[in-house]
Amino acid sequence: MAGSLIVIGVFLSLIATFGVIRLPDVYTRNHAASKSATLGVMSVLLGTFLYFFLTEGHFNSRLILGIGFVFLTSPVAGHLLSRAAYYSGVKLWDKSVQDDLKEQKKKFSKR
Amino acid sequence: MKSNDIILQTITKVTLFVIILFSIHLFFAGHYYPGGGFIGGLMTSGAIVLLLLAYDLKTVAKILPVDFKIVAAVGLLFAVGTGAGSLLFNVPFLTHAFGDMNIPLLGETSLHTATLFDLGVYLVVIGVTMTIIQTIGESE
């Protein structure tokens, strides 16, 4: 039970690293890194929590807190990285078809 | 350039309390578990740095109207005071004492004067870190 959660978490983190290597531009890489790494880390933490709870009867509330904290902050970090990349002018992948933020950015930089 | 930081500011409001609570937990757990004044103080100043990232220096100065140089001085006073307090009982400098006391709300607690020394370390770490960061942040 705990072991399988840890294996799932490690597998998701591995997928995240492959995504960071394979995907074409900053935004898709950030997409891979922030999503699957978050779920991977949360699974590993939950597996660790369950291991200590089931085998040693030790309720470690810090791991629960860590799960909640990673869940709250990691997507926000991804959002801020993406936004900083967009506003500093990093190009989208050349096969992307739609950029709805472009108008907004033009208005933004004129002010 | 005025930017729209609402996601960062909202998540700061939520996580700030978690970080400060965890730093206080680390501070009090220091005697029996990993933790203590140094890492607790660093984590508290980390929470204030997060506040500085989400808002600006003036807003944080309004929220926390504290001169961090005075915080460091008070912390040093705590550390020296607990050391010098042992001289009153005719024992060497920095000898600590502890005892089990019955506090009305908390029940049986073991109190140790090393906690007061640790509180001094905690305040010095907050004071020094925040003074460094605010001084660097203010200079143009």
Side-chain angles (χ1 to χ4, degrees):
Chain A
M1 176 74 182
S4 58
L5 267 172
I6 291 177
V7 169
I8 290 169
V10 169
F11 182 66
L12 282 169
S13 305
L14 191 70
I15 289 178
T17 44
F18 275 122
V20 170
I21 296 169
R22 296 282 300 162
L23 286 170
D25 71 344
V26 171
Y27 308 102
T28 45
R29 279 200 292 263
N30 197 354
H31 168 85
S34 61
K35 279 183 186 59
S36 30
T38 307
L39 191 61
V41 169
M42 281 168 70
S43 309
V44 171
L45 285 176
L46 191 65
T48 319
F49 170 77
L50 280 178
Y51 174 78
F52 281 109
F53 187 59
L54 295 175
T55 59
E56 298 183 15
H58 172 65
F59 187 90
N60 196 339
S61 54
R62 282 180 240 189
L63 286 170
I64 302 281
L65 196 71
I67 293 171
F69 198 78
V70 168
F71 183 63
L72 278 178
T73 53
S74 176
V76 178
H79 155 76
L80 287 171
L81 279 172
S82 271
R83 205 181 65 157
Y86 191 81
Y87 283 120
S88 53
V90 177
K91 293 270 187 304
L92 269 69
W93 186 30
D94 43 10
K95 282 183 193 155
S96 347
V97 289
Q98 200 173 1
D99 187 2
D100 285 343
L101 255 174
K102 202 183 256 170
E103 300 296 312
Q104 202 63 35
K105 192 189 170 191
K106 252 181 228 158
K107 240 190 317 184
F108 202 72
S109 53
K110 231 178 264 172
R111 265 192 297 177
Chain B
M1 189 170 85
K2 195 180 180 312
S3 58
N4 182 7
D5 278 341
I6 189 140
I7 295 179
L8 178 62
Q9 288 178 350
T10 313
I11 214 74
T12 302
K13 282 173 197 162
V14 179
T15 50
L16 189 76
F17 296 102
V18 179
I19 301 171
I20 287 185
L21 207 68
F22 192 62
S23 75
I24 293 171
H25 162 75
L26 277 178
F27 171 70
F28 280 113
H31 200 72
Y32 294 109
Y33 299 102
F38 184 76
I39 189 152
L42 271 184
M43 200 166 243
T44 306
S45 42
I48 304 171
V49 170
L50 179 64
L51 210 60
L52 281 170
L53 284 176
Y55 299 89
D56 53 76
L57 272 170
K58 283 196 186 100
T59 321
V60 177
K62 211 192 286 170
I63 300 167
L64 276 174
V66 186
D67 187 355
F68 286 103
K69 291 192 277 302
I70 293 174
V71 172
V74 169
L76 277 178
L77 207 67
F78 261 100
V80 176
T82 44
S86 62
L87 292 176
L88 293 175
F89 298 96
N90 219 7
V91 282
F93 187 69
L94 277 175
T95 308
H96 287 287
F98 78 99
D100 292 317
M101 244 174 256
N102 221 336
I103 298 172
L105 267 175
L106 299 172
E108 191 79 11
T109 19
S110 87
L111 299 176
H112 201 296
T113 51
T115 313
L116 290 174
F117 185 80
D118 230 18
L119 185 67
V121 176
Y122 180 78
L123 291 176
V124 168
V125 170
I126 294 178
V128 169
T129 327
M130 290 318 296
T131 308
I132 292 171
I133 288 165
Q134 279 185 337
T135 323
I136 295 171
E138 271 166 5
S139 65
E140 293 288 311

